[in-house]
Amino acid sequence: MRLSFFLLIALVAAGEPAAAQGAAPRIVNIVNFIRELEPRDPRITKDVLYQTVVQQVELMKQYNLGGTFLLQYDALIDPRYQELLKSLPKGTFEIGAWWELPQPLIEKAGLKWRGQYPWDWRPNVGFATGYTPAEREKLVDVYMHDFKAIFGYYPKSVASWFIDAHTLAYMYDKYGIVASANCKDQYGTDGYTLWGGYWNQAYYPSKVNAYMPAQHENQQIPVPIFRMLGSDPIRQYDNGLGNERQGVVTLEPVYRFGGGDSAWVDWFLRQFVDGEPLAFAYTQAGQENSFTWRSMARGLELQFPLIARLRDDHKVKVETLAGSGAWFKAHYKVTPATAVTYLKDLGARDKKTVWFDSRFYRVNFLWAGDSLRIRDIHLFDERVVEPYDKEPLTGNAAAFYTLPFVDGYLWSDRSTLAGIRFAKADGQPLTGGTPKVTSPAPGHLHIAWPLQTDSLTIDLDERTMVIRCKTPWYAELRTAPNAKLPFTTIKPYEVTATEDGFPYRVSTRLGTFSRPADAKDAAGATSPAGAALRITPEGGAVEMLFR
């Protein structure tokens, strides 16, 4: 087993991908966040949690890996953590804030504790969304005052599963934070839903919605938010389809299929290094101490030597969260267009994917065997106000959404995978081989999908998507029969929609929209049940505008 793993290290390090040649950097943050107690399991004592952090530090030092430790307030005021973290080399390690709110912080701010335990993970108790804007500011002031009293400076990084825009802007305006991080996209997991956002990488949030990327510099909070946990770009999206909540397939070392599996880790990091990212690629390694060293040790002992080898071969940059935030801000005045490209699947599996993000929209392409499906398109609008902007959350579940045009998770069921599918003029599916993905210019992504006698090309920039094919073709959005769709009107050159009362639209310069019931293919056949929208090219091309 040990021999085979180090063979994997050698294989991943082989070759000369773009990152080794000084192109778009591949950035790895090792972020471990620290809670003082874990009330859900009496076996996880304060000493078990502390020793977990000790072991994380030792393993990082063994491989000369720096990173970020984020302190929840109860751990911040614990002298053992203070002594341990003060001993770490400055510049290599960063100490920041983990923004879950335990009883000592709430009560020191003069507020009433409503939790069942001294740390309560429910979103209306343990997160800033459960408090008024004025109360959120008090909580920030107490934490920052005590952090500076202990460490001599204010933290540069503050992260959480989610932080509201008011809190984030206050931390920036008064205390000068330079980076934040929130949870990966997930549906229902742990009572938190973040769905449709800037997928992975990092973005500048809107002043009124920390989950919604801003489109203009004067409407953004100038603190980049990095997406945590290293999602499997193929499998995480559909995980748990048909259930109330998703499962987890991420780089987190506690998961047997994911960050705790040597084959998965090798695949994930190999594609991370080799895939076209446009501006940069990003992933976060590490784990919160609540999972304990016993659960995470095997996964971290797999990951850290591989990350260190990739760093030594100049194929990834390992840096603190604050370091990545400062780099991002120095390079980008607004959120850049980026991509996540995984063109080889794990083992004998046969799926490939490309995620494209900009400050205006995101889109996901998924190839399964010889077929292509646009699995997801969500639009971003800086005017959408987050649900907890002024009023605190009262329930025990939090949800953040963007504006759907295609939703391959929520509009699917176990028998129908929703998405835009491609067909020839006679209704037969378009099929092809392995796509080639390149960046012909900054912010532009080109996908060439070879067909039997032709190719279908897709060109993306931050506002538009252009699809071309010489073979006569069309595309259809198909969904589960009971899917709740947002569309209000379907006109030839525009589709309008409404989500939670907010209107938006997608238009075309080339190509037309129609209701499938009103259209027939070249053989005279109508669309199958579940077809919600047909897209017909003009001159072999469709140009869609997302703005």
Side-chain angles (χ1 to χ4, degrees):
M1 177 70 178
R2 187 174 183 85
L3 178 62
S4 64
F5 174 65
F6 283 99
L7 177 60
L8 291 177
I9 291 181
L11 289 172
V12 171
E16 283 294 318
Q21 300 165 9
R26 277 68 169 169
I27 298 170
V28 177
N29 289 162
I30 298 174
V31 180
N32 302 302
F33 54 92
I34 304 170
R35 303 184 181 109
E36 190 199 30
L37 54 85
E38 175 47 80
R40 294 171 291 189
D41 187 341
R43 296 170 298 179
I44 303 177
T45 64
K46 291 184 179 182
D47 190 59
V48 168
L49 294 172
Y50 174 76
Q51 291 301 326
T52 296
V53 180
V54 170
Q55 293 293 333
Q56 289 174 328
V57 168
E58 289 305 310
L59 190 64
M60 292 171 75
K61 286 182 175 179
Q62 179 182 342
Y63 292 101
N64 194 28
L65 291 168
T68 298
F69 286 91
L70 303 176
L71 288 160
Q72 190 169 280
Y73 184 80
D74 51 4
L76 171 69
I77 60 177
D78 186 323
R80 288 199 299 177
Y81 288 112
Q82 295 172 17
E83 182 179 358
L84 173 65
L85 299 179
K86 283 181 179 180
S87 70
L88 299 180
K90 292 180 174 61
T92 303
F93 290 91
E94 174 198 10
I95 314 303
W98 180 251
W99 206 243
E100 290 183 75
L101 312 176
Q103 185 173 359
L105 176 59
I106 299 299
E107 292 182 341
K108 190 165 184 180
L111 306 177
K112 182 180 179 180
W113 177 245
R114 296 177 275 109
Q116 296 179 355
Y117 312 99
W119 167 60
D120 192 319
W121 50 91
R122 291 176 299 164
N124 60 325
V125 175
F127 293 84
T129 48
Y131 302 87
T132 68
E135 291 170 339
R136 297 171 201 175
E137 293 180 10
K138 287 183 181 179
L139 292 165
V140 172
D141 289 340
V142 169
Y143 187 101
M144 294 295 186
H145 175 273
D146 288 357
F147 188 101
K148 187 174 183 181
I150 293 164
F151 290 104
Y153 56 88
Y154 294 126
K156 295 297 184 184
S157 297
V158 182
S160 182
W161 298 133
F162 49 91
I163 302 178
D164 62 285
H166 184 91
T167 297
L168 195 67
Y170 186 74
M171 290 174 171
Y172 170 76
D173 291 336
K174 188 168 182 178
Y175 298 102
I177 67 169
V178 301
S180 187
N182 65 10
C183 188
K184 68 176 180 13
D185 258 34
Q186 62 181 33
Y187 193 85
T189 311
D190 298 323
Y192 322 141
T193 292
L194 295 92
W195 195 249
Y198 195 100
W199 201 88
N200 205 60
Q201 319 297 64
Y203 65 96
Y204 287 120
S206 159
K207 289 181 177 179
V208 296
N209 191 331
Y211 186 61
M212 186 76 73
Q215 286 73 62
H216 301 91
E217 187 176 4
N218 64 355
Q219 295 300 314
Q220 69 190 19
I221 301 171
V223 176
I225 295 178
F226 293 82
R227 306 304 304 272
M228 297 180 71
L229 305 182
S231 284
D232 183 320
I234 292 174
R235 279 163 283 273
Q236 175 61 53
Y237 185 90
D238 291 328
N239 196 285
L241 189 66
N243 299 321
E244 291 184 0
R245 64 192 67 183
Q246 287 188 311
V248 179
V249 190
T250 68
L251 192 58
E252 294 171 272
V254 296
Y255 292 109
R256 290 294 180 91
F257 184 72
D261 177 78
S262 60
W264 188 95
V265 170
D266 166 64
W267 165 80
F268 180 85
L269 290 175
R270 181 196 297 268
Q271 296 298 305
F272 174 76
V273 166
D274 288 348
E276 173 59 60
L278 291 184
F280 68 98
Y282 175 81
T283 197
Q284 177 253 319
Q287 189 80 67
E288 69 261 44
N289 63 336
S290 296
F291 278 103
T292 77
W293 183 248
R294 180 179 179 181
S295 297
M296 72 181 71
R298 179 178 182 275
L300 292 183
E301 288 166 354
L302 288 172
Q303 293 178 27
F304 283 3
L306 181 50
I307 292 171
R309 177 67 177 271
L310 293 171
R311 175 208 57 201
D312 293 344
D313 289 340
H314 307 291
K315 294 176 181 176
V316 302
K317 291 171 56 180
V318 180
E319 56 190 16
T320 64
L321 181 57
S324 296
W327 174 87
F328 187 96
K329 194 167 182 179
H331 284 77
Y332 307 111
K333 291 185 177 181
V334 294
T335 300
T338 63
V340 177
T341 304
Y342 278 55
L343 297 183
K344 182 175 174 56
D345 204 351
L346 176 63
R349 297 170 175 89
D350 191 19
K351 291 184 178 179
K352 311 165 188 69
T353 198
V354 176
W355 288 88
F356 176 87
D357 295 282
S358 81
R359 55 194 164 123
F360 293 92
Y361 72 104
R362 79 177 194 184
V363 59
N364 176 236
F365 305 92
L366 182 73
W367 289 263
D370 61 0
S371 67
L372 167 62
R373 173 168 58 110
I374 297 181
R375 186 166 54 167
D376 185 280
I377 300 175
H378 277 76
L379 280 62
F380 307 140
D381 195 310
E382 63 199 7
R383 299 170 296 171
V384 176
V385 179
E386 68 187 23
Y388 321 111
D389 179 55
K390 302 298 183 186
E391 298 297 327
L393 170 68
T394 56
N396 60 3
F400 296 82
Y401 295 95
T402 60
L403 307 173
F405 186 70
V406 177
D407 195 317
Y409 182 77
L410 294 180
W411 299 353
S412 297
D413 61 22
R414 291 180 179 177
S415 61
T416 303
L417 293 176
I420 293 176
R421 299 178 184 274
F422 294 83
K424 300 176 186 178
D426 63 2
Q428 295 301 308
L430 276 179
T431 58
T434 299
K436 182 177 181 181
V437 181
T438 56
S439 176
H444 293 256
L445 193 72
H446 178 75
I447 302 172
W449 181 36
L451 310 178
Q452 286 183 346
T453 59
D454 192 5
S455 66
L456 183 142
T457 62
I458 304 168
D459 288 282
L460 301 129
D461 62 29
E462 65 175 10
R463 294 173 183 259
T464 64
M465 176 171 66
V466 181
I467 306 173
R468 296 183 178 91
C469 187
K470 292 180 181 179
T471 300
W473 66 280
Y474 65 89
E476 280 186 344
L477 170 62
R478 300 173 189 170
T479 71
N482 297 322
K484 184 180 178 182
L485 305 181
F487 307 134
T488 53
T489 65
I490 297 175
K491 300 177 181 179
Y493 295 100
E494 180 182 80
V495 173
T496 62
T498 301
E499 184 75 7
D500 289 333
F502 189 90
Y504 57 102
R505 67 190 179 98
V506 173
S507 59
T508 63
R509 286 199 186 102
L510 286 172
T512 59
F513 299 115
S514 62
R515 297 183 183 277
D518 301 331
K520 294 183 179 181
D521 61 35
T526 57
S527 299
L533 179 69
R534 178 172 287 203
I535 305 168
T536 304
E538 294 179 318
V542 169
E543 182 175 1
M544 300 173 68
L545 285 71
F546 307 104
R547 59 182 184 182

